[in-house]
Amino acid sequence: MSDGPGRGNVAEVPPAGPLCLTGRIKVEVGGEIVADTDDVALCRCGHSGNKPYCDGSHRKVGFDDPGVILGGRLVGGGDEPADDEPVTIVCATDGPLLVRGPLTVVAADGETSEGTKGALCRCGASTTKPFCDGSHRDVGFVGG
């Protein structure tokens, strides 16, 4: 993972890999903060045996994604957040990763999306990766 553009919280989207977050990152599952870290890799293929974290399953299942922004965007952020403000990634039960706080998503081709709210795909089936399009409901994603 790199330091990303400038300072703040960054989610890198490598081709066929996990969502790589750096900055002040909190991960929430079932209403509880399960991680408060500066570096974490979250599953986006939908097959990790250690959800929401990546366990390398994307390589075993042949997850194929170019790591570019195919659609969707983060929204919000009208007021400039402090560089050290954390982002909380909320793992919606059997659904996406919900962004709550300042984040810059950086695609493999350098395209970015910045904001304070959004939904990132973690089932691997979205047609608007890395953002959620609701496909988790169609594929029966189970992810706690």
Side-chain angles (χ1 to χ4, degrees):
M1 292 182 234
S2 75
D3 291 336
R7 302 181 319 185
N9 307 314
V10 175
E12 292 184 9
V13 186
L19 191 64
C20 302
L21 293 112
T22 56
R24 291 196 55 212
I25 313 298
K26 295 181 182 205
V27 179
E28 180 181 312
V29 177
E32 293 185 38
I33 300 295
V34 298
D36 189 345
T37 185
D38 60 1
D39 189 354
V40 67
L42 299 178
C43 176
R44 64 185 197 101
C45 76
H47 294 280
S48 175
N50 190 30
K51 291 179 189 83
Y53 307 104
C54 175
D55 69 358
S57 292
H58 55 277
R59 290 186 292 271
K60 296 176 192 151
V61 300
F63 179 59
D64 185 24
D65 178 69
V68 298
I69 295 174
L70 299 175
R73 289 270 178 236
L74 293 176
V75 297
D79 292 331
E80 191 65 31
D83 286 334
D84 64 348
E85 187 176 332
V87 61
T88 300
I89 304 298
V90 179
C91 301
T93 302
D94 301 335
L97 299 169
L98 303 174
V99 175
R100 301 295 179 254
L103 185 67
T104 301
V105 175
V106 180
D109 63 359
E111 185 177 352
T112 64
S113 177
E114 296 183 46
T116 58
K117 293 181 184 176
L120 298 165
C121 176
R122 68 177 181 139
C123 74
S126 176
T127 60
T128 59
K129 289 184 214 68
F131 297 96
C132 175
D133 70 356
S135 291
H136 54 274
R137 292 184 292 269
D138 298 333
V139 299
F141 175 71
V142 177

